């Protein structure tokens, strides 16, 4: 069971206190978008055996959504960041580069 | 009796304990396990094997025991499949053997063994495949009757169980020498330490193999000193009878504590510790391996270490005349222990050509016979145990003749040691095959890693493959100061994976690998020949290691046989994954306190007790309990429901609608936000007005509905379905936090802060007007909202109707709920006021064709499908579900649409979910979503989703009732009563 720190309230807690919300950084297309773009938005998700940027909610805590960079195989957590960030912070990207290089 | 005259470190000979096995009374002594006590009483036959019903005895002395499973206790404390070796004897203990009929000694199932040539690996897969239908009706019930271990209990367990949360810096699993030293070092460093040991004693194998001198002390004194030092430390928690069952991600571990198995429990019988540890240290030791030879399953064939344990810990001789079959020096310890205890050792058969070393010399010095390069070719015996063995030379290949016959009543197998690497493997660590030592060891390059990418599980002592006390303690000391140890050095082992039993090919007779599942060497070879070459496939095909002992004894031998058959190296065959729990844990402890009322929280409205006092029959709605109907006297269900419906249609009824979700949405952008959440326009709603809204998901399918009231310019109150308040609130928050975080909106779920009642029926207004207050009920228009007081109580009034009658919903802060409810009931006896339940509510709404989310919708239904295109805005640029509803599949003709169904026979009520059939009767074209008898129009009514239903009005359909019967029903409007809505507009 993962141990996760919520970036909104700072609490470090068991995975069961959180709810997973799937892949992060998926852009909601404009109302008039093509069928292909809409299908991509609705259904297409990454499933890597690698670092995954994903959405979580501190469901049984402060209730806030946030993003997490987690390796799906080693379960290493590279960082958590705000749900409204358009992309992962540089600091987290650097850490991933450093830790996955070896 | 097999109790020795002296010895037995764990027993108190002066305290007798009486117990029974299969109804027969026996006596043991304090400190015995059920296993040692039965052995002391000369009982060797303890069980029948699973598949062949072969007579079986004890193989081990610990939790790895494959054979000696018993039913423990009786009545409501009956528990099956408990290992005798782990049952500490207590007065009055009752145990019965399993998997035998009519008795352990005269078992009919043994006929399976006579026919065993007919049951090779994969027998069931190959045999019971034809004819297909026979599996369900003939074969499976038959196999289920024959198979199985203990019998499941039939009564509720009277004991209690609990979960306990704990946190520590270092969790140490195993209280042997390595665990004690690791705990001492961590404790002295000031860490918060938990040290757990699965048995009832500290010291591990050091209690038995006590020939080492540690820090100048005897092994026993050293153990006592460590335990005393640890007990004196405030930062160390120590628990006996507690097994570290599992190590999971990020340092999460499960400990299984058996508090009440050795005594009548006070407090919980078992406790499940849920521990978060920064470091987990596995000082889990090793398990000895059996050796596959012909007849290696007769009672009396045991692990050499177990024979030694019984002699030295419990003062019991498993045999008076023992043959030791060893591949290493350690087996000699057993021979020496037996010799010292005054038991005869018939011979030591050693797989090695030239055994040398201290222990070998000691054995020779006391006159024991050592036969190098010799194994056991064949065992002769019966259900009463081993009688004789015949030796076989091991240095002449497979083409051999059997040798000398040796009389004996016990065989001690020393097949080498397997480190217990389970905790390392549970959490993702890898193990590597060590060819020199013939064992799987933890791979230091691939440890389990925590969230920071750092290793968090470390094995020490025997679990790393350390064999001598010296090496064990050196590994546990780690980088800290070591401890000086004097102990015997050991020479390399020469593993034996298979002992030939006669002549060429050497396949005669059964060489058991997995005792619990009756898997033999021949089964693994057959699997390999038939192409099940992967270790995972061979396992599943033969069931090797799939019994409750999870292959603790059998797996390595089995994998070696597979490797040998395939001509591969052991490392290339690999191993199956070790999965938690390490040993079985009780069902009770998994549940913990979460049973009965604590299984799942139940939500009750403020009026719950009032309802119960009025004969309410409750039904679950989400987590809520709502009154389904109110029973008067002994009236039948249908009678109550009809009575309550008539009350609403003819007088006035009260419904406790407090379970409706209530979410406040407030802020300058609240209207804009709700325009995105609902399919219809909410921003145009005027303060003081209500609007019915639909909510879709991103797929364009209905997920919730409810009335939205605009309380003021910036504040909306959104009602949701009873089961949907938490879900809808979370849904709103998700969009606000992750997509439209620029909107200035706050939400609050106030469902429980407000109680809400529907006051419905032609007399509703008259009733309300009798209350004192400042609300103009006559002046409040349909879909209007007002704030005020009634009899001094604050209320919000919504003029909305879910029954089609003149109706007001009153909301009041929950603390006023009972007072307001009782005031309303007390004000209108002459008006016919009374409560109605949810079933009446459902019939009332169905008569009007109103949908219920979850009845008329199933996650694939759009607003258009249920005839609510009017509630889908065409003006709004965007809302959730808008783009999805434009997809071709959601706009195509022929989708299922909501219609009414009127059966040809007005008395016949269609079954819920019944399928409507196509004209040729071959295809389902829709299904019934709601179906009732309507007392109002005095006939059955139903709603259904039917392909292209709206264009098929008047068409007659056949509705399937069962395989043979269909009934006719006509497609009609789903609004069965008061089509123009006149009754609510008065």
């Amino acid at each position: 069971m993962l141990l996760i720190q919520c970036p909104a309230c700072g609490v470090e807690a068991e995975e069961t206190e959180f709810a997973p919300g799937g892949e992060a950084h998926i852009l909601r297309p404009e109302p008039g978008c093509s069928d292909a773009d809409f299908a991509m938005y609705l259904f297409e998700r990454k499933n890597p055996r690698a670092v995954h940027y994903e959405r979580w909610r501190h469901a049984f805590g402060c209730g806030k959504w946030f993003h997490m960079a987690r390796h799906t195989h080693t379960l290493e957590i590279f960082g958590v960041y705000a749900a409204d960030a358009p992309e992962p912070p540089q600091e987290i990207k650097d850490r991933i580069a450093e830790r996955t290089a070896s | 009796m097999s109790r020795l005259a002296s010895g037995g470190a764990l027993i108190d000979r002066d305290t007798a304990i009486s117990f029974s096995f299969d109804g027969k009374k026996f006596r043991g002594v304090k400190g015995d396990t059920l296993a040692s006590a039965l052995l002391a009483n000369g009982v060797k036959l303890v069980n029948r094997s699973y598949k062949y019903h072969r007579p079986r005895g004890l193989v081990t002395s610990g939790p790895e025991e494959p054979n000696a499973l018993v039913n423990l206790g009786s009545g409501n404390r009956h528990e099956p499949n408990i290992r005798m070796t782990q049952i500490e004897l207590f007065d009055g203990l009752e145990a019965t053997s399993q998997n035998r009929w009519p008795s352990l000694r005269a078992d009919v199932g043994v006929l399976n063994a006579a026919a065993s040539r007919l049951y090779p690996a994969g027998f069931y897969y190959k045999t019971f495949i034809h004819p297909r239908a026979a599996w369900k009706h003939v074969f499976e019930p038959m196999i289920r009757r024959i198979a199985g271990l203990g019998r499941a209990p039939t009564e509720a367990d009277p004991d209690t169980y609990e979960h306990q949360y704990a946190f520590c810096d270092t969790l140490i699993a195993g209280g042997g020498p390595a665990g004690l030293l690791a705990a001492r070092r961590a404790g002295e460093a000031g860490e918060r330490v938990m040290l757990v040991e699965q048995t009832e004693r500290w010291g591990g194998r050091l209690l038995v193999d006590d020939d080492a001198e540690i820090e100048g002390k005897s092994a026993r004194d050293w153990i006592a000193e460590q335990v005393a030092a640890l007990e004196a430390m405030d930062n160390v928690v120590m628990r006996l009878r507690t097994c570290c069952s599992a190590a999971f991600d990020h340092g999460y571990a499960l400990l299984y504590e058996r508090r009440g198995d050795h005594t009548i429990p006070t407090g919980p019988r078992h406790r499940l510790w849920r521990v978060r540890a920064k470091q987990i240290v596995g000082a889990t030791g090793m398990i000895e391996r059996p050796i596959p030879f012909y007849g290696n399953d007769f009672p009396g064939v045991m692990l050499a270490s177990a024979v030694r344990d019984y002699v030295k810990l419990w003062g019991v001789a498993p045999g008076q005349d023992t043959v030791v079959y060893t591949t290493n020096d350690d087996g000699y310890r057993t021979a020496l222990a037996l010799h010292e205890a005054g038991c005869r050792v018939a011979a030591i058969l050693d797989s090695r050509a030239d055994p040398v070393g201290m222990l070998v010399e000691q054995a020779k010095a006391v006159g024991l016979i050592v036969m190098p390069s010799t194994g056991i070719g064949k065992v002769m015996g019966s259900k009463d145990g081993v009688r004789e063995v015949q030796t076989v030379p091991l240095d002449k290949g497979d083409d051999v003749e059997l040798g000398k016959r040796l009389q004996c009543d016990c065989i001690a197998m020393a097949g080498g040691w397997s480190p217990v690497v389970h905790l390392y493997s549970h959490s993702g660590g890898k193990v590597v095959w060590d060819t020199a030592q013939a064992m799987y060891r933890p791979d230091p390059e691939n440890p389990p890693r925590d969230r920071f990418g750092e290793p968090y599980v470390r094995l020490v002592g025997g679990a790393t493959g350390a064999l001598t006390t010296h090496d064990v303690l050196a590994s546990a000391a780690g980088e800290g100061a070591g401890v000086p140890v004097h102990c015997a050095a050991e020479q390399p082992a020469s593993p034996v994976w298979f002992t030939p039993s006669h002549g060429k090919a050497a396949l005669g007779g059964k060489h058991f690998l997995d005792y619990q599942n009756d898997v033999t060497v021949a089964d693994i070879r057959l699997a390999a020949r038939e192409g099940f070459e992967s270790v995972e496939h061979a396992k599943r095909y033969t069931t090797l290691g799939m019994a409750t002992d999870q292959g603790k004894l059998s797996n390595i031998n089995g994998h070696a046989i597979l490797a040998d058959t395939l001509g591969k190296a052991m490392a290339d065959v690999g191993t199956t994954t070790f999965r938690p729990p390490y040993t079985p844990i009780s069902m009770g402890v998994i549940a913990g306190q979460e049973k009965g009322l604590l299984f799942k929280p139940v939500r009750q409205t403020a009026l719950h007790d009032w309802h119960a006092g009025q004969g309410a029959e409750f039904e679950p709605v989400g987590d809520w309990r709502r009154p389904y109907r109110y029973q008067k006297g002994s009236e039948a269900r249908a009678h109550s429901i009809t009575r309550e419906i008539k009350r609403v249609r003819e007088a006035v009824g009260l419904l406790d609608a407090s379970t409706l979700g209530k979410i406040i949405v407030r802020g300058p952008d609240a209207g804009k936000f709700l325009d995105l959440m609902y399919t219809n326009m909410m921003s145009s709603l005027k303060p003081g007005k209500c609007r019915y809204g639909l909510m879709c998901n991103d797929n364009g399918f209905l997920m919730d509905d409810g009335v939205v009231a605009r309380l003021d310019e910036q504040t909306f109150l959104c009602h949701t379905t009873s089961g949907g308040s938490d879900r809808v609130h979370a849904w709103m928050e998700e969009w606000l936090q992750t997509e439209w975080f620029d909107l200035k909106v706050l939400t609050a779920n106030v469902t429980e802060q407000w109680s809400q009642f529907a006051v419905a029926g032609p007399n509703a207004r008259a009733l309300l007007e009798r209350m004192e207050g400042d609300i103009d009920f006559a002046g409040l228009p349909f879909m209007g909202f007002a704030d005020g007081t009634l009899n001094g109580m604050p209320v919000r009034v919504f003029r909305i109707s879910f029954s089609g009658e003149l109706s007001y919903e009153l909301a009041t802060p929950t603390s006023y709920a009972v007072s307001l409810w009782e005031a309303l009931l007390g004000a209108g006896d002459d008006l016919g006021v009374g409560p109605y339940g949810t079933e009446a509510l459902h019939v009332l709404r169905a008569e009007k064709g109103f949908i219920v989310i979850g009845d008329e919708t199933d996650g694939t239904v759009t607003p258009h499908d249920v005839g609510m295109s009017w509630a889908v805005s065409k003006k709004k640029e965007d809302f959730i579900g808008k783009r999805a509803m434009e997809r071709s599949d959601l706009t195509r003709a022929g989708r299922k649409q909501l219609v009414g169904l009127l059966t040809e026979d007005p008395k016949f009520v269609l079954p819920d979910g019944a399928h409507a059939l196509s004209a040729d009767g071959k295809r389902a074209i829709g299904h019934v979503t709601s179906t009732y008898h309507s007392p109002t129009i005095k006939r059955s009514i139903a709603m259904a989703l039917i392909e292209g239903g709206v264009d098929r009005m008047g068409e007659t359909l056949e509705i399937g009732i069962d395989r043979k019967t269909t009934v006719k029903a006509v497609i009609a409007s789903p609004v069965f009563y008061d089509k123009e809505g006149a009754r609510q507009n008065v």
Side-chain angles (χ1 to χ4, degrees):
Chain A
M1 180 158 41
L2 305 178
L3 194 59
I4 298 170
Q5 183 160 31
C6 172
C9 68
V11 159
E12 189 177 84
E14 305 277 328
E15 183 179 336
T16 46
E17 196 168 310
F18 298 84
E23 188 182 337
H25 305 300
I26 290 174
L27 294 180
R28 187 167 186 269
E30 296 292 314
C33 68
S34 69
D35 277 354
D37 284 351
F38 192 67
M40 179 86 89
Y41 159 71
L42 263 191
F43 303 120
E44 311 252 322
R45 294 293 181 271
K46 294 189 183 106
N47 184 21
R49 185 185 165 108
V51 179
H52 189 233
Y53 299 100
E54 54 199 19
R55 309 187 319 144
W56 286 79
R57 181 179 183 230
H58 195 186
F60 299 98
C62 69
K64 292 295 180 197
W65 284 88
F66 60 91
H67 289 163
M68 182 156 94
R70 180 184 67 102
H71 197 290
T72 57
H73 180 59
T74 67
L75 306 184
E76 186 171 351
I77 293 171
F78 299 93
V80 288
Y81 54 100
D84 58 359
E87 60 174 320
Q90 193 57 43
E91 176 203 357
I92 289 176
K93 289 188 193 166
D94 290 347
R95 193 175 304 141
I96 292 167
E98 181 195 326
R99 297 277 270 278
T100 54
S102 55
Chain B
M1 292 290 280
S2 314
R3 187 79 73 183
L4 295 162
S6 62
L10 301 179
I11 57 167
D12 168 8
R13 289 169 185 265
D14 298 331
T15 311
I17 289 178
S18 62
F19 68 99
S20 74
F21 178 59
D22 276 346
K24 198 174 162 199
K25 298 274 184 213
F26 292 100
R27 285 173 95 76
V29 296
K30 194 174 173 215
D32 263 330
T33 62
L34 179 56
S36 70
L38 283 173
L39 273 181
N41 282 282
V43 176
K44 287 193 165 180
L45 171 65
V46 297
N47 201 359
R48 290 277 175 170
S49 75
Y50 180 73
K51 187 169 160 190
Y52 301 130
H53 289 249
R54 285 172 68 106
R56 291 282 169 82
L58 289 154
V59 179
T60 75
S61 58
E64 61 276 15
E65 175 59 37
N67 282 344
L69 305 183
V70 289
N71 295 307
L72 189 61
S74 59
N76 57 10
R77 283 204 161 86
H78 161 94
E79 195 175 2
N81 306 333
I82 309 294
R83 291 162 297 282
M84 275 185 186
T85 48
Q86 285 193 295
I87 301 170
E88 293 171 55
L89 209 60
F90 58 85
D91 226 25
L93 178 151
E94 294 173 70
T96 52
S97 56
Q98 302 183 162
N99 204 33
R100 84 290 188 268
W101 187 83
S103 76
L104 190 54
R105 294 192 63 82
D107 174 44
V108 169
V110 75
L111 291 173
N112 276 10
S116 69
R117 286 195 180 279
L118 304 176
Y119 295 105
F123 168 72
Y124 290 94
Y125 305 130
K126 291 166 182 163
T127 308
F128 296 113
I129 196 158
H130 296 295
R132 288 282 175 184
W135 173 254
K136 188 175 170 192
H137 300 292
V138 182
F139 298 140
E140 193 184 357
M142 182 180 81
I143 291 165
R144 281 192 187 281
R145 260 204 306 281
I146 298 170
L149 301 163
R151 191 161 300 161
T154 52
E155 294 174 46
D157 186 341
D159 288 320
T160 58
Y161 301 84
E162 72 177 17
H163 292 183
Q164 169 90 37
Y165 292 82
F167 300 85
C168 63
D169 296 315
T170 303
L171 167 67
I172 297 164
L180 290 170
L181 184 62
R184 181 118 193 236
R185 292 279 189 267
E188 282 165 351
E191 295 176 19
R192 286 180 307 163
V193 177
M194 287 187 83
L195 172 64
V196 298
E197 160 59 37
Q198 63 186 349
T199 69
E200 80 302 338
R201 58 191 183 269
W202 301 110
R205 290 217 62 76
L206 212 47
L207 287 176
V208 180
D209 301 331
D210 50 3
D211 49 346
E213 185 187 287
I214 310 165
E215 294 181 285
K217 298 175 194 74
S218 76
R220 265 156 218 248
D221 288 349
W222 185 83
I223 294 166
E225 187 186 296
Q226 306 314 309
V227 172
L230 288 165
E231 280 173 348
M233 293 185 202
D234 290 341
N235 53 330
V236 177
V237 173
M238 300 166 78
R239 279 285 191 285
L240 289 170
R241 301 185 180 92
T242 305
C243 177
C244 182
S245 296
F248 295 109
D249 318 325
H250 298 183
Y252 183 67
L254 290 182
L255 314 180
Y256 174 48
E257 182 180 10
R258 296 178 302 121
R259 293 184 68 256
D261 280 356
H262 57 295
T263 178
I264 302 295
T266 52
R269 175 171 170 239
H270 296 157
R271 183 182 280 145
L272 192 69
W273 290 81
R274 306 172 70 160
V275 180
R276 200 49 99 158
K278 289 191 179 125
Q279 285 289 314
I280 298 173
V281 177
T284 42
M286 300 177 147
I287 294 175
E288 198 168 32
R289 284 196 295 266
I291 306 173
F293 50 84
Y294 175 11
N296 63 343
D297 71 326
F298 281 107
V301 181
M302 299 171 78
L303 296 179
S305 55
V307 170
R308 199 151 88 224
D309 287 347
Y310 286 113
V311 169
K312 297 188 76 166
L313 296 177
W314 292 287
V316 177
Q320 296 301 329
D321 202 350
T322 303
V323 169
V324 176
Y325 181 8
T326 187
T327 65
N328 56 65
D329 281 8
D330 191 64
Y332 287 80
R333 287 200 172 93
T334 297
L336 287 163
L338 285 164
H339 178 77
E340 275 165 36
C343 301
R344 189 170 166 267
V345 176
I348 303 171
L349 314 184
D350 195 321
S351 64
R352 298 171 296 182
D354 188 18
V356 288
M358 263 172 76
L359 290 162
V360 179
E361 294 315 316
Q362 276 180 41
K364 286 180 175 166
V366 297
L368 300 184
I369 302 162
V370 177
M371 301 172 69
S373 297
T374 305
I376 293 176
K378 188 176 182 185
V379 180
M380 277 69 74
S382 68
K383 64 183 171 230
D384 295 313
V386 177
R387 264 197 326 269
E388 190 181 58
V389 302
Q390 210 170 355
T391 63
V392 67
L394 292 174
D395 50 1
K396 302 211 166 66
D398 280 359
D399 190 6
V400 291
E401 291 302 321
L402 293 183
K404 215 170 154 181
R405 287 169 178 261
L406 299 167
Q407 303 290 315
C408 63
D409 61 358
C410 177
I411 296 169
M413 305 177 282
W417 292 86
S418 299
V420 177
V421 295
H422 295 61
L423 295 181
Y424 204 71
S425 182
H426 282 178
S427 38
K430 295 275 177 285
V431 296
V432 285
W433 180 251
D434 178 335
T435 308
Q437 292 217 58
M439 57 174 63
Y440 275 106
R441 302 212 288 184
D443 177 2
E445 299 299 310
N446 285 297
R449 292 185 186 276
D450 67 11
R451 64 196 159 129
F452 306 115
E454 302 299 328
Y456 71 93
V457 179
R458 178 164 63 92
L459 299 188
V460 297
T464 63
L467 283 167
T468 65
T469 307
H470 176 275
D471 294 350
V472 163
L473 290 176
S475 128
E479 288 158 17
V483 292
V485 179
H486 289 289
C487 65
E490 293 187 20
Q491 309 304 310
S494 170
V496 175
W497 305 119
F498 172 72
T499 317
S501 48
H502 70 80
K504 214 169 165 63
L507 271 172
K510 292 202 184 301
H511 301 61
F512 280 93
L513 290 167
D514 185 329
Y515 292 115
Q516 209 172 90
N517 268 354
D518 276 349
V519 180
T520 65
V521 169
D523 290 331
I524 297 289
R525 290 188 171 172
L526 178 68
R529 281 204 306 277
E530 293 190 352
F532 296 90
E533 297 184 0
S534 147
V535 65
E536 297 286 359
H537 291 160
K539 164 186 161 175
R540 283 155 181 81
Y541 191 54
T542 61
T543 72
L544 174 81
M546 288 170 69
T548 64
D549 64 348
Q550 290 283 290
K552 288 187 181 67
L553 299 187
S554 60
N555 272 357
I556 306 296
N557 288 337
H559 300 167
I561 298 287
L562 182 66
D564 179 61
T565 312
L566 297 171
K568 284 185 177 175
M570 193 70 178
D572 295 333
V573 166
T575 180
T576 49
T577 310
F578 301 84
R579 296 191 195 283
Y582 174 62
T583 45
I585 64 177
S586 64
M587 299 301 279
V589 87
I590 294 170
Q593 302 96 324
E594 291 170 25
K595 60 173 191 173
L597 286 175
L598 296 181
F599 178 65
K600 193 168 194 277
V602 167
R603 301 174 82 179
Q604 298 179 344
T605 72
L607 294 174
H608 191 87
D609 291 345
W610 187 93
H611 297 316
Q614 297 296 315
E617 177 189 341
F618 290 97
E619 69 162 342
V621 179
D623 296 338
W624 294 99
R625 294 292 177 275
R626 299 190 68 181
Y628 174 85
R629 57 136 180 173
Y630 299 85
Q631 187 179 26
K632 278 201 172 161
S634 59
E635 72 181 349
R637 259 191 194 166
H639 192 270
S640 320
I641 294 161
T642 300
R643 181 170 51 71
E644 291 169 14
I645 291 166
K646 281 192 168 167
R647 171 178 288 146
V648 175
R649 292 278 180 240
E650 292 164 13
V652 55
L654 298 186
L655 177 82
D656 182 5
S658 305
T659 59
L660 277 181
K662 306 166 201 83
I663 298 167
I664 295 286
V665 177
R666 167 178 278 178
D669 294 323
K672 194 172 167 190
F673 174 61
L674 292 183
D675 279 349
L676 289 161
M677 299 305 294
Y678 287 91
T679 61
N680 39 357
M681 191 81 89
M682 288 298 167
S683 55
S684 59
L685 190 62
K686 299 273 180 287
K689 292 284 185 193
C690 302
R691 186 167 290 162
Y692 172 75
L694 296 177
M695 220 175 242
C696 285
N697 58 23
D698 243 337
N699 266 303
F701 297 133
L702 279 165
M703 61 172 273
D704 211 86
D705 69 345
V707 170
V708 177
R710 191 164 199 166
L711 304 183
D712 59 44
E713 193 54 45
Q714 292 205 359
T715 313
F716 292 81
L717 169 61
C718 302
H719 290 104
T720 76
T721 56
S722 286
S725 62
D726 292 334
R727 189 174 61 239
V728 170
H729 183 231
W731 175 248
M732 288 179 170
E733 278 295 319
E734 180 177 349
W735 289 98
L736 276 175
Q737 290 181 36
T738 67
E739 186 68 32
W740 297 306
F741 36 79
D742 53 323
L743 294 183
K744 291 190 177 66
V745 177
L746 294 174
T747 70
N749 186 346
V750 297
T751 300
E752 293 182 357
Q753 278 68 26
W754 292 83
S755 288
Q756 194 148 325
F757 318 136
V759 182
N763 294 342
R765 188 179 296 147
L767 176 72
L768 290 166
E769 282 173 344
R770 290 185 182 179
M771 312 280 284
E772 283 176 30
D774 53 1
I775 297 161
D776 175 11
F777 288 102
L780 187 65
F782 185 61
M783 299 309 270
F785 154 77
D787 230 344
T789 60
L790 276 186
N791 283 16
M793 291 175 268
V795 289
R796 286 171 174 169
V797 182
F798 311 93
R799 187 169 164 196
I800 54 182
S801 180
F802 197 43
S803 56
E805 294 300 320
L806 171 65
S807 166
Y808 300 85
E809 289 204 8
L810 306 183
T812 189
T814 290
S815 52
Y816 294 100
V818 177
S819 310
L820 180 61
W821 180 264
E822 287 180 341
L824 288 165
L825 281 167
D829 259 357
D830 55 320
L831 297 175
V833 67
Y836 65 102
T838 52
E839 187 62 4
L841 162 86
H842 276 105
V843 179
L844 289 161
R845 66 92 196 171
E847 288 173 345
K848 287 290 297 172
F850 295 146
I851 65 160
V852 164
I853 298 289
D855 283 357
E856 276 62 56
T857 72
D858 60 5
T860 66
V861 173
T862 70
H864 304 295
D865 296 338
V866 292
M868 292 199 176
S869 302
W870 54 267
V872 181
S873 167
K874 291 191 182 65
K875 290 184 202 150
K876 291 194 292 187
E877 190 189 332
D878 193 10
F879 60 84
I880 299 169
K882 179 182 168 77
R883 175 64 186 82
M885 281 186 241
E886 292 161 4
R887 288 180 294 169
S888 55
D889 189 59
L890 274 66
T891 52
R892 69 178 165 82
R895 280 184 66 84
K896 289 181 188 172
Q897 292 172 315
L898 187 72
V899 292
L901 287 182
L902 292 170
T903 48
E904 201 168 58
D905 171 5
K907 288 205 184 82
F908 186 83
V909 179
L910 290 166
D912 215 341
H915 283 207
L917 303 177
S918 59
D920 60 5
K922 288 187 176 163
R923 205 168 63 81
I925 56 163
H927 63 277
V928 173
T929 60
S930 289
T931 168
Y932 303 97
H933 170 75
S934 162
T936 310
I937 63 168
K938 298 186 175 54
R939 60 153 299 139
S940 69
I941 56 170
M943 294 202 264
L945 285 165
I946 302 290
E947 287 177 6
V950 171
D951 295 330
R952 301 166 77 160
M953 288 293 157
E955 201 175 301
T956 300
L957 297 178
E958 295 285 346
I959 312 289
I961 306 301
D962 56 35
R963 279 171 187 279
K964 292 183 184 129
T965 326
T966 60
V967 299
K968 286 186 165 50
V970 179
I971 299 181
S973 156
V975 185
F976 300 100
Y977 180 62
D978 185 26
K979 287 189 171 47
E980 53 287 348
R983 297 182 65 85
Q984 65 193 20
N985 292 320
V986 290

